[in-house]
């Protein structure tokens, strides 16, 4: 049982929680995640550790309400407890060579990319960040990202803030301007990560993405989170969740994420 | 003496056509009368060979005699002297390869139903015993146990009885290991496992759930910062193997671990009341023929699959599952395609499984295991339609702890190297159960936990002497 000590609505259906978890905070590193359960009969779901404070013994989670478990989580308030919380899981992100990094976060993917940018910034990298969302209402962590980036760009699909269009448009512009880019870290919906990968592949820019595979245990014992990377089968929860975007089979991941569509609809009706 | 009854007293059970519609236990267990009758089949050998077949050396004629005398408490006391989990072992031990295999009665007739009698005594105790469990005055040094399967539970029980302060660290949100997430309710009711865990808690064992050793905390930290004098590693063999054939990542392909964990631990059979979903096909193929495969096949039937087929590359004689489970599976209508090996899983454009492509096999020369090796028959490939495939071809140890523990020696199969007492290459670190042997049995894991507890006791005592 872990206590929620802070809760904030970042946008409709987008909640931030600061949770007491000293054991997890002590060892957490960017790229890692937790598995949690919020109901006695509940599912186990993965969420990225969006931030951690080793001294206070807390971790930050950002959850987008897309289905039953994330909605149940969204109903919890300050002072409530998360029933089960396990972590930190997954391998910390390994950074490719070079000092010029571009961090891209799309939608709820801004949360997982934030600790990456923060760490790179602390280590003295030159960090350019691009964050995007469907509309300005859904943007979050703008100030936080700005504080850990040498430069921050914003894009919205509807043009309500920043560039009117996709994060990849901005990345393309940066490349066209001849800015030095050694590697890209991109987290967001699969179509966004795939688009980034397709773009950087052309220019031979190393790209790391973080996958949001369906998981059961998060410790390597079910194989439900498997993905194909460079023709080899990997488990997202123990080998990832960060992988080389140019070796990933995005289409397979996309298909696997749809596996329980029918049941998810039933789950909604049930509530 | 009257002539001995040639066959075991039959086990009362739910009829197959009913039981495939529920997850309740298949067999009901002997009544007192039947148990006494069955106990009379035992010859009370002076040199009981059955005991040699039991990995923990239970005094088998001893407990059977007590049943015969209707001293059921006496029977359970004898059982518990060597086996702390008789209700579980009586149900899931592969008796036909162990105690019952060597029973003298079995030479001419069916052996004595040792397992069923063991289960009877344990169930009798659960129903009748009113003895209060008293907490142990544990004031000794701290010992950590990693993993709460049969190996870890047994080690913890033995250690606290010796006065050590014991903490179990378990990755899942529920203790019990394979007993909870793997073996289905209809074969091993979860209430039985929960009872054993409650017992340990009452003794004073501290169980810390949601801790993955290697991630949340390392083995080294337990021994240094956290002040544990010794650690027992009983993390099992939970890493699922796949076939490495095309189509294995299609939607509808599960490892047996995932299929069973979703169903047992996460109760997907009660979806949507319980929130974890599972995809139930009409036609299910299960690859493999061990206990895990039988459990998956019978689970699929209960989830509502219309046709379930076991696909196995060797023949009937080599199937590693317990005989009783194979019989139960047959009665329930599971089909068997033997001497058949899958070569590809077929799918549609949306990424869902549509069929299995197999090749027929024949048995060739014996291999290293002494079993005749299956070899493919050229040109014998065929396909059949399925919409779910469950891969149950074995498991290995999870590499997390070895990877994060410098100096911990492992074999080329990824198992932790330990001597016969459970001692590993790191002083103070002991290991036992599936993580050392590879996937084996509940009773062997239990036995290893017990032996390691002895060794840990010796290790700590000799260390204390040195320090004096
Ligand atoms: C390593 C990792 C880190 C993650 N980090 C975050 C995070 O920081 N914040 C966050 O909001 N989400 C994150 N996710 C995704 C999150 O786990 C899912 O959104 C969640 O499991 C949905 O559960 P649910 O019961 O609410 O919805 P469900 O009822 O299970 O699903 C509802 C809808 O969401 C889709 N969905 C289901 N599972 C996933 C998934 N794993 N990824 C994407 N879509 C899914 C379904 O297709 C469906 O349309 C992460 C996933 C992984 C693997
Ligand atoms: C489906 C199935 C059916 C079976 N049927 C039979 C049968 O009929 N008869 C029989 O005798 N045997 C059977 N077996 C085998 C038997 O269950 C195992 O041999 C036995 O459970 C091994 O016990 P163990 O204590 O070594 O490990 P496990 O039971 O595997 O327990 C290990 C525990 O450690 C935890 N763990 C792992 N890594 C970590 C970590 N890093 N940190 C913290 N915790 C961790 C796991 O979550 C798990 O709870 C079956 C196995 C399966 C899977
Ligand atoms: S523990 Fe297993 S092997 Fe030993 S007597 Fe009981 S059933 Fe037989
Ligand atoms: S070998 Fe058989 S008959 Fe003899 S003591 Fe053992 S169970 Fe009884
Ligand atoms: S979630 Fe089960 S192996 Fe990754």
């Amino acid at each position: 049982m872990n206590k929620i000590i802070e809760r904030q609505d970042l946008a409709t259906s987008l909640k931030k929680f600061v949770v007491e978890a000293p054991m997890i905070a002590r060892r957490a590193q960017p790229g890692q995640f937790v598995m949690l359960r919020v109901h006695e009969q509940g599912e186990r779901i993965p969420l990225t550790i969006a931030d951690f404070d080793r001294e206070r013994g807390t971790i930050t989670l950002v959850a987008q309400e897309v289905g039953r478990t994330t909605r149940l989580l969204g109903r919890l308030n300050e002072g409530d407890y998360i029933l089960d919380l396990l972590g930190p899981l997954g391998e910390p992100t390994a950074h490719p060579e070079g000092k010029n990094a571009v961090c891209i976060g799309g939608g709820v993917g801004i949360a997982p990319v934030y600790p990456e940018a923060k760490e790179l910034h602390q280590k003295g990298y030159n960090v350019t960040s691009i964050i995007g969302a469907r509309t300005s209402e859904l943007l979050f962590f703008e100030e936080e990202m700005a504080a850990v980036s040498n430069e921050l760009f914003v894009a919205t699909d509807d043009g309500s803030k920043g560039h009117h269009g996709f994060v990849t448009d901005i990345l393309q512009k940066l490349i066209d301007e001849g800015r030095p880019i050694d590697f890209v870290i991109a987290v967001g919906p699969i179509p966004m990560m795939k688009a980034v990968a397709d773009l950087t592949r052309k220019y031979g820019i190393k790209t790391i993405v973080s996958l949001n595979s369906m998981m059961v245990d998060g410790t390597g014992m079910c194989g439900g989170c498997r993905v194909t990377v460079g023709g080899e089968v990997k488990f997202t929860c123990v080998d990832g969740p960060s992988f080389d975007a140019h070796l990933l089979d995005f289409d397979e991941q996309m298909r696997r994420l749809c596996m329980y569509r029918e049941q998810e609809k039933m789950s909604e009706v049930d509530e | 003496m009257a002539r001995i009854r040639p066959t075991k007293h039959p086990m009362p059970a739910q009829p197959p056509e009913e039981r495939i519609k529920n997850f309740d236990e298949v067999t009901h267990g002997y009544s007192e009368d039947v148990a006494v009758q069955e106990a009379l089949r035992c010859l009370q050998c002076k040199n009981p060979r059955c005991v040699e077949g039991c990995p923990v050396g239970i005094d088998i004629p001893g407990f059977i005699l007590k049943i015969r005398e209707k001293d059921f408490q006496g029977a359970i006391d004898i059982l518990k002297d060597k086996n702390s989990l008789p209700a579980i072992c009586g149900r899931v031990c592969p008796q036909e390869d162990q105690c019952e295999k060597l029973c003298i009665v079995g030479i001419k007739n069916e052996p004595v139903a040792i397992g069923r009698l063991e289960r009877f005594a344990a169930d009798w105790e659960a129903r009748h015993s009113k003895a209060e469990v008293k907490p142990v005055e544990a004031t000794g040094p701290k010992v950590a146990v990693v993993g709460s399967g049969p190996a870890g539970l047994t080690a913890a029980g033995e250690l606290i009885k010796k006065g050590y302060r014991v903490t179990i660290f378990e990755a899942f949100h529920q203790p019990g290991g394979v007993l909870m997430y793997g073996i289905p309710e209809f074969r091993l009711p979860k209430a039985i496992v929960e009872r054993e865990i409650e017992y340990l808690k009452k003794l004073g064992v501290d169980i810390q759930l949601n801790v993955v050793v290697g991630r949340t905390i390392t083995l080294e930290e337990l021994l240094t910062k956290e002040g544990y004098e010794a650690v027992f590693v009983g993390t099992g063999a939970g890493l699922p193997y796949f076939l490495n054939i095309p189509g294995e990542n299609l939607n509808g392909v599960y490892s047996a671990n995932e299929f069973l964990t979703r169903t047992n631990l996460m109760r997907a059979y009660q979806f949507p009341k319980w929130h974890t979903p599972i995809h139930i096909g009409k036609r299910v193929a299960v690859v493999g023929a061990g206990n895990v495969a039988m459990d998956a096949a019978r689970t699929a039937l209960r989830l509502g699959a219309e046709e379930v087929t076991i696909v196995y590359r060797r023949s009937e004689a080599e199937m590693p599952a317990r005989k009783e489970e194979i019989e139960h599976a047959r009665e329930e209508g599971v089909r068997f395609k033997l001497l058949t090996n899958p070569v590809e899983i077929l799918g549609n454009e949306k990424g869902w499984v549509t069929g299995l492509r197999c090749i027929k096999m024949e048995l060739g020369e014996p291999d290293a295991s002494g079993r005749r090796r299956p070899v493919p028959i050229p040109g014998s490939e065929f396909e059949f339609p399925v919409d779910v495939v469950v891969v149950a071809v074995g498991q290995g140890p999870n590499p997390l702890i070895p990877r994060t523990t410098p100096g911990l020696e492992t074999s080329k199969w990824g198992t932790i190297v330990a001597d016969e007492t459970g001692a590993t290459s790191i002083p103070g670190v002991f290991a036992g159960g599936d993580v050392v042997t590879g996937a084996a049995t509940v009773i062997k894991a239990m036995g290893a936990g017990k032996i390691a507890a002895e060794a840990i006791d010796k290790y700590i005592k000799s260390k204390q002497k040195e320090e004096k």
Side-chain angles (χ1 to χ4, degrees):
Chain A
M1 298 270 275
N2 299 69
K3 192 170 177 182
I4 297 169
I5 56 171
E6 210 182 301
R7 174 208 144 112
Q8 192 190 339
D9 283 39
L10 297 175
T12 330
S13 312
L14 201 64
K15 309 257 156 59
K16 176 182 134 178
F17 298 95
V18 180
V19 184
E20 250 173 28
M23 297 255 277
I24 300 175
R26 206 164 46 98
R27 296 183 62 86
Q29 291 188 60
Q32 292 189 298
F33 65 96
V34 292
M35 293 293 297
L36 56 81
R37 230 164 52 106
V38 290
H39 188 283
E40 281 297 342
Q41 281 140 30
E43 203 174 351
R44 296 165 63 95
I45 65 155
L47 291 178
T48 308
I49 301 173
D51 203 358
F52 48 84
D53 185 330
R54 298 198 207 283
E55 259 114 73
R56 259 173 99 204
T58 61
I59 60 169
T60 302
L61 305 174
V62 174
Q64 183 170 36
E65 294 178 14
V66 292
R68 195 170 181 182
T69 310
T70 43
R71 271 202 302 273
L72 287 170
L73 175 67
R75 288 186 204 157
L76 298 182
N77 289 309
E78 280 175 20
D80 288 344
Y81 287 82
I82 292 180
L83 185 61
D84 295 295
L85 190 65
L86 170 73
L89 302 171
E91 287 294 320
T93 308
H95 298 138
E97 279 188 28
K99 281 284 168 195
N100 301 295
V102 173
C103 293
I104 306 178
V108 71
I110 301 169
V113 95
Y114 169 67
E116 307 279 1
K118 186 173 166 186
E119 187 190 35
L120 291 169
H121 183 73
Q122 278 167 354
K123 287 188 173 162
Y125 284 71
N126 172 32
V127 181
T128 307
S129 296
I130 311 169
I131 59 174
R134 261 185 293 125
T135 177
S136 65
E137 220 273 291
L138 294 173
L139 274 175
F140 63 97
F141 274 15
E142 240 185 290
E143 279 170 34
E144 285 88 340
M145 283 300 284
V148 297
S149 309
N150 299 60
E151 204 169 353
L152 174 71
F153 296 90
V154 173
T156 49
D157 296 4
D158 65 357
S160 50
K161 184 146 199 191
H163 169 75
H164 185 165
F166 297 129
V167 287
T168 38
D169 303 340
I170 298 178
L171 181 61
Q172 179 74 63
K173 202 175 108 239
L174 296 178
I175 295 170
D176 291 344
E177 285 170 6
R179 301 230 194 165
I181 303 175
D182 296 315
F183 63 91
V184 172
I185 298 180
V187 193
I190 294 208
M192 180 208 99
M193 295 194 286
K194 192 178 173 196
V196 171
D198 288 341
L199 175 59
T200 55
R201 189 181 283 114
K202 283 193 286 194
Y203 300 95
I205 302 170
K206 268 267 182 207
T207 302
I208 307 288
V209 293
S210 181
L211 287 184
N212 55 355
S213 320
M214 216 87 78
M215 295 189 178
V216 180
D217 55 297
T219 63
M221 60 85 46
C222 78
C225 62
R226 57 199 189 277
V227 313
T228 306
V229 186
E232 252 184 85
V233 176
K234 302 271 184 196
F235 290 181
T236 302
C237 69
V238 286
D239 302 313
S242 306
F243 291 106
D244 183 337
H246 297 154
L247 299 177
L248 260 177
D249 186 340
F250 284 106
D251 296 337
E252 178 188 272
Q253 264 305 288
M254 197 69 186
R255 287 195 300 268
R256 288 188 67 80
L257 278 176
C258 299
M259 185 138 161
Y260 297 100
R261 266 289 144 77
E262 292 304 311
Q263 285 94 333
E264 280 151 8
K265 278 186 212 137
M266 267 171 79
S267 219
E268 275 163 40
V269 173
D270 183 63
E271 260 175 71
Chain B
M1 206 176 102
R3 266 198 52 210
I4 191 167
R5 184 193 148 100
T7 54
K8 292 177 181 175
H9 286 79
M11 189 68 151
Q14 285 194 64
E17 60 282 5
E18 260 169 48
R19 69 187 190 230
I20 59 166
K21 295 188 204 121
N22 64 58
F23 275 81
D24 300 340
E25 189 167 20
V26 166
T27 54
H28 301 307
Y30 282 165
S31 65
E32 289 187 11
D33 284 347
V34 175
V36 172
Q37 289 301 312
E38 181 65 26
L40 280 165
R41 294 184 67 233
C42 169
L43 305 177
Q44 291 294 315
C45 307
K46 286 274 160 318
N47 248 326
R49 296 201 42 219
C50 53
V51 178
E52 289 164 37
C54 172
V56 295
I58 289 176
D59 173 8
I60 295 169
F63 96 82
I64 294 182
L65 183 63
K66 293 288 181 196
I67 293 183
R68 195 156 96 186
E69 294 167 350
K70 297 199 182 171
D71 175 5
F72 304 131
Q73 186 61 50
I76 192 70
D77 291 343
I78 293 178
L79 280 163
K80 284 215 160 159
D81 181 45
K82 290 278 161 66
N83 180 346
S84 53
L85 308 170
I88 295 168
C89 294
R91 284 175 167 81
V92 305
C93 256
Q95 290 98 2
E96 70 270 18
D97 295 325
Q98 299 182 352
C99 51
E100 294 180 16
K101 183 182 184 178
L102 299 180
C103 169
I104 296 292
V105 177
I107 297 175
K108 286 225 179 89
N109 297 304
E110 269 185 19
V112 176
I114 303 170
R116 292 176 186 175
L117 289 173
E118 180 170 339
R119 166 180 168 177
F120 164 77
D123 289 358
W124 181 91
E125 190 204 24
R127 265 192 308 255
H128 294 91
S129 173
K130 293 191 186 66
E132 279 275 315
V133 183
K134 284 200 203 75
V136 179
E137 287 278 323
T139 51
K142 293 204 301 178
V143 180
V145 170
V146 187
S148 62
L153 293 177
T154 308
E158 297 292 322
L159 286 163
I160 194 160
K161 285 181 196 157
K162 292 179 197 298
Y164 293 101
R165 283 176 292 156
V166 183
T167 304
I168 298 181
F169 296 97
E170 167 58 48
F172 265 124
H173 59 269
Q174 233 181 44
V178 169
L179 307 177
M180 280 318 265
Y181 75 70
I183 305 181
E185 174 79 18
F186 58 82
R187 207 146 72 74
L188 178 63
K190 302 304 147 219
I192 292 174
V193 187
E194 281 162 7
R195 198 170 70 218
E196 298 303 339
I197 289 160
E198 268 319 300
Y199 168 75
L200 286 182
K201 282 194 197 157
K202 281 186 189 152
L203 287 181
V205 173
D206 173 31
I207 304 183
Q208 296 282 330
L209 301 172
N210 299 310
V211 177
V212 207
V213 173
R215 290 274 193 224
T216 316
I217 192 160
T218 63
L219 217 54
E220 243 176 336
E221 285 173 314
L222 288 174
L223 287 167
T224 53
K225 275 212 242 143
E226 303 294 323
Y228 291 95
E229 288 297 322
V231 182
F232 175 75
V233 182
T235 47
L239 177 82
Y241 294 150
F242 284 90
L243 295 156
N244 297 317
I245 58 173
E248 224 166 356
N249 285 1
L250 288 165
N251 287 357
V253 182
Y254 286 103
S255 74
N257 270 0
E258 180 178 1
F259 193 71
L260 291 169
T261 302
R262 280 181 183 272
T263 317
N264 297 324
L265 185 73
M266 308 309 294
R267 311 264 180 105
Y269 65 94
Q270 296 186 49
F271 182 86
K273 185 171 166 243
W274 285 67
H275 309 179
T276 302
I278 192 160
H279 179 66
I280 310 157
K282 277 207 174 71
R283 281 179 285 218
V284 179
V286 177
V287 184
N291 286 320
V292 183
M294 296 305 144
D295 283 345
R298 298 171 67 201
T299 296
L301 279 178
R302 283 160 176 78
L303 287 170
E306 287 162 16
E307 196 181 294
V308 179
T309 311
I310 291 267
V311 177
Y312 181 51
R313 63 196 179 113
R314 298 182 197 251
S315 72
E316 172 101 37
E318 290 87 13
M319 294 204 284
R322 292 179 74 219
K323 215 169 108 220
E324 187 178 287
E325 307 318 331
I326 298 172
E327 280 162 14
H328 280 157
R330 277 231 161 80
E331 287 167 11
E332 289 168 9
V334 172
R335 304 167 187 213
F336 290 79
K337 280 196 203 296
L338 304 178
L339 288 167
T340 303
N341 205 25
V343 290
E344 183 180 356
I345 301 172
L346 309 166
N348 62 20
E349 65 293 341
K350 290 205 174 116
W352 283 90
V353 172
T354 57
L356 196 59
R357 194 174 157 73
C358 299
I359 189 162
K360 292 239 170 77
M361 311 291 277
E362 61 189 351
L363 292 179
E365 296 297 309
D367 64 10
S369 71
R371 298 184 299 181
R372 290 177 64 193
R373 206 159 60 97
V375 282
I377 304 172
S380 67
E381 272 148 35
F382 68 100
E383 291 169 7
F384 70 104
V386 293
D387 30 36
V388 164
V389 175
V390 181
V391 181
V393 294
Q395 293 112 246
N398 191 312
L400 205 51
I401 289 186
R403 241 195 247 164
T404 53
T405 312
L408 187 63
E409 199 187 322
T410 54
S411 73
K412 66 174 176 199
W413 300 280
T415 53
I416 295 180
V417 176
D419 69 12
E420 66 284 353
T421 71
T424 69
S425 55
I426 300 179
V429 176
F430 295 76
D434 281 5
V435 73
V436 170
T437 56
T441 61
V442 172
I443 187 70
K444 284 193 179 131
M446 256 198 54
K450 188 165 178 167
I451 290 170
E454 291 293 332
I456 288 172
D457 184 39
K458 264 202 196 135
Y459 165 81
I460 294 179
K461 285 198 173 123
S462 75
K463 217 172 97 176
Q464 283 170 334
K465 254 192 211 145
E466 272 171 38
E467 281 164 9
K468 269 180 197 160

